[in-house]
Amino acid sequence: MEGRSINFGAGPSALPEDVLQEAAKGLLNFEGTGIGIAEISHRSKEFGACLSKLESHIRTLLDVPQTHSILFTQGGGSAQFSAIVLNLLARHRLLHPELKDEERVMDYVITGSWSQKAAAEARRLGGGKVNVVVDSREFSTKDKKSFDNIPPHGDNNNAYKFSPDPALIFYCENETVDGVQFAHDQASPASFPFHRLPQSALLPLVGDHSSSFMSRSIPHLADHAVIYAGAQKNIGPAGLTIIIVRQDCIVDVDAAAKLGASPVPITMSYKTLADHGSLYNTPSTLAIYVAGLVLQRMKNMGGLEYYENVNRAKQAKLYNAIEESEGILRRKVREDAGSWMNVVFDVAGDGADTRFIAGADKLGMKAMKGHRSAGGIRVSLYNAISEKETDQLIEYIKEFVRQEKGRVASEAA
Ligand SMILES: Cc1ncc(COP(=O)(O)O)c(C=O)c1O
C-alpha cells in the first residue's frame, strides 16, 4: 500500500499488510455480525470461536502436546516476570511445605537486559532466593560488561551452575535489546544447555520467548513448565500475552497461600486463567482476532518450517552484509550467539549512526535506532519482514558502505 514504510522496529512491529486489510474489515463488521471486533462481547459465540481458533493454530503450528495448556492474558512479558515467580513458588510450596523461604531457590540464566529484569523482579517479590546460574557478561571478551555472548557449556568449560531442586529455572530465548539468542542448532556451543539441567521429569523450566515466538520451532518444548510471549513481535498487536503451561504448574495458589506462600492476584493465577478458558475477565479481543489472522496466514504459507527457512536466510544475508562492510559496520554480538530476530551493530565514525538512520529513512526504511540503553543500530527481522524487504535494506547498506569509504578516503586526502 502506498505510503507505508518498511518497519524494522523491535516491537510493536510490522504486521503483514493483507492481514491488516482483513482486520480493517473485521473492525467494522466481525464475522457478519454487524458489530466490529473491538465492539463485540467477549462472551459472544463468534468471539469464542475466534479464541478457540487461535489456540488451535498455536497448538498445531508449534506441535504443543496435550500435557500443556495454552492460556491468554494481558500484561506482556513484564507481568509474566511476576506471574512465573508467584505461580511456581506456590507450586514449590505445595510440593515442599516444610522448606523455609531462604531454602527455596529460583534459578536465573542471565544473557541480557530482559533476563536481568526478570531476575530483579524475582528478588523484589521474595519468597525464595535468586541463584544466578550464569551471567554472560563474565564471558564477554570485549570488556566483561557486555551482553554479547552465550556462555559455554562444554565438558571442560561448563559455565552453568543449576540448583538441584529449584522452584523455577528461567531463561530468555532471545534478548531483544542486546541481540543475543540461544543457537537453534542443538549441536552449537551457543545452544541452551538442556543436557546440563537437573534430571527430573517435571522440571520447572521457564522460557521467555517474547521476541522469537513463532519465528522457528522451540527446541525441547515438551520439557518446559512455562513458555510465554507477548504478541507484539511476530504475531499481532500489543495487549495479548500467550502462555504455554504444563498442567502440573497450574496449581491451587490459594491452598499454597494457606501454607505460607504469597497470595497471587487473581488475574495472575494460571489456575484462574485455565479454569475460565482465558475468559475470567475481558481479554484483548482485537489483538486475539489479529493474531488469529496472522497465524492462519502463517499456516497457508507453509507453517513454521516456511518461516524458519525464510528467517534463517534473512539474518544470514544481513550478518553477511555487516561482515563484508570491512569495518564500517561492526556486529556487537559474538558470531554463534547473534539473534535471528534483532541484529545489532555499530557504525564506525562520528555521527555515522545518525547518517545511517537518516539515509534509510529517506528510502522508507524505519525504526532501526538501537535501544536507548544500548545505542547503535538494531534491525528487527520479525516474520512480517519479507526476504525482499531484507534485500532492499542490504542494497542500502552496500551503498552506505561505499559512501562511507569515500568519505574516509577524502578526509584522509
Ligand atoms: C524478551 C522480552 N521479554 C519481555 C519483554 C517485556 O514485554 P512487555 O513490554 O510486553 O511487558 C520484552 C519486550 O520487548 C522482551 O523483548
Side-chain angles (χ1 to χ4, degrees), residues 10-11 75-79 81 114 172 174-177 208-211 228 230 232-233 382:
S78 304
F81 291 164
W114 286 114
C172 177
N174 181 55
E175 286 284 359
T176 325
V177 170
D208 178 344
H209 283 246
S210 292
S211 49
Y228 66 79
Q232 69 268 26
K233 316 293 188 185
Y382 296 126

